[in-house]
Amino acid sequence: MTIRVMLVDDQVLLRTGFRMVLAAQPDMEVVAEAGNGVEALEVLRSTAVDVVLMDVRMPKLDGVEATRRICADTDPPKVLILTTFDLDEYAFSGLKAGASGFMLKDVPPGELLTAIRAVHSGDAVVAPSTTRRLLDRFAPMLPSSGKQPEHKELERLTEREREVMVLVAQGLSNGEIASRLVLSEATVKTHVGRILTKLGLRDRVQVVVLAYETGLVRAGGHG
């Protein structure tokens, strides 16, 4: 099955480079391009896209607001934010807006391709170490920062599901969580699936953001 990719970036040269990398892949096709968020939204009305590679800093409509609008649609494509800086407020805002992950623009081609495939298959792409650094830096800017009472929806979780949610929020993979809690990886995957369903979340990135917003996990990575 071919992954239909859209490139959104105001730098034509950068889009050309990405297009060349993707065109060489048998399972990917660049089906659309746009130079800003407004163009991207217009193109998406008439073009079927699976994954959007979204720059954040663009004229007319930036990538964060474009991501928010795209993800508000029914059955939207996955969005992968591309940023110049590892710890960028735009990257964090993009994740809150609904992006499935973010990558640095100078990422090696192999990693970018892996990320596109992962996002397409439903996984979130934020490296655990980056998750920790990103949230340690930006958690204090979240509305609650642990000062407000936890969201009521967390009460729907079992004690084990809350344990798993805390570890997801600390950036651990399913394998690492399985090892920590002495469970099988399949069981952890089931728990993560139930957490997403009960809380009405789309992916692990949203689990991480909610865990910090509600004070379930605080900056420093401790539950």
Side-chain angles (χ1 to χ4, degrees):
M1 180 181 163
T2 303
I3 303 172
R4 298 165 296 187
V5 181
M6 178 181 189
L7 305 176
V8 185
D9 196 300
D10 60 335
Q11 296 178 49
V12 178
L13 258 177
L14 223 131
R15 294 206 309 265
T16 302
F18 282 135
R19 192 189 322 119
M20 287 170 66
V21 170
L22 300 184
Q25 304 305 305
D27 60 339
M28 293 183 195
E29 180 187 0
V30 175
V31 294
E33 293 186 35
N36 60 60
V38 173
E39 280 180 26
L41 293 169
E42 286 173 4
V43 171
L44 282 170
R45 289 194 192 102
S46 58
T47 310
V49 173
D50 298 312
V51 178
V52 178
L53 291 188
M54 178 75 75
D55 183 24
V56 279
R57 303 179 186 198
M58 296 181 293
K60 296 187 180 177
L61 187 68
D62 68 38
V64 174
E65 183 55 32
T67 296
R68 187 175 289 112
R69 295 187 195 181
I70 288 169
C71 293
D73 281 349
T74 309
D75 195 24
K78 306 285 195 211
V79 178
L80 191 53
I81 294 277
L82 292 169
T83 178
T84 315
F85 305 103
D86 194 355
L87 285 177
D88 189 333
E89 70 273 18
Y90 283 101
F92 183 72
S93 300
L95 297 181
K96 288 200 68 177
S100 293
F102 75 93
M103 304 289 291
L104 294 177
K105 281 190 177 181
D106 60 359
V107 63
E111 285 184 33
L112 177 67
L113 298 171
T114 299
I116 291 171
R117 292 183 182 108
V119 164
H120 181 248
S121 72
D123 289 334
V125 180
V126 186
S129 59
T130 306
T131 303
R132 293 190 192 103
R133 293 203 312 279
L134 190 72
L135 288 164
D136 285 352
R137 174 165 169 180
F138 292 110
M141 294 163 49
L142 291 170
S144 68
S145 254
K147 294 179 185 132
Q148 294 176 3
E150 291 183 358
H151 287 205
K152 284 281 185 192
E153 57 259 40
L154 293 185
E155 294 172 7
R156 300 177 200 151
L157 302 182
T158 65
E159 194 173 334
R160 176 63 90 190
E161 286 163 356
R162 285 170 76 100
E163 273 184 286
V164 170
M165 183 171 176
V166 166
L167 295 176
V168 168
Q170 290 173 2
L172 273 65
S173 67
N174 284 355
E176 290 167 333
I177 294 170
S179 176
R180 180 81 62 91
L181 299 180
V182 196
L183 298 168
S184 73
E185 205 166 327
T187 301
V188 172
K189 198 170 181 182
T190 299
H191 282 311
V192 172
R194 285 184 183 147
I195 292 165
L196 295 176
T197 302
K198 286 183 179 182
L199 301 182
L201 304 176
R202 192 184 56 257
D203 56 34
R204 294 169 82 95
V205 170
Q206 292 193 327
V207 170
V208 174
V209 173
L210 182 66
Y212 276 78
E213 283 184 326
T214 57
L216 186 64
V217 172
R218 292 184 174 82
H222 305 294

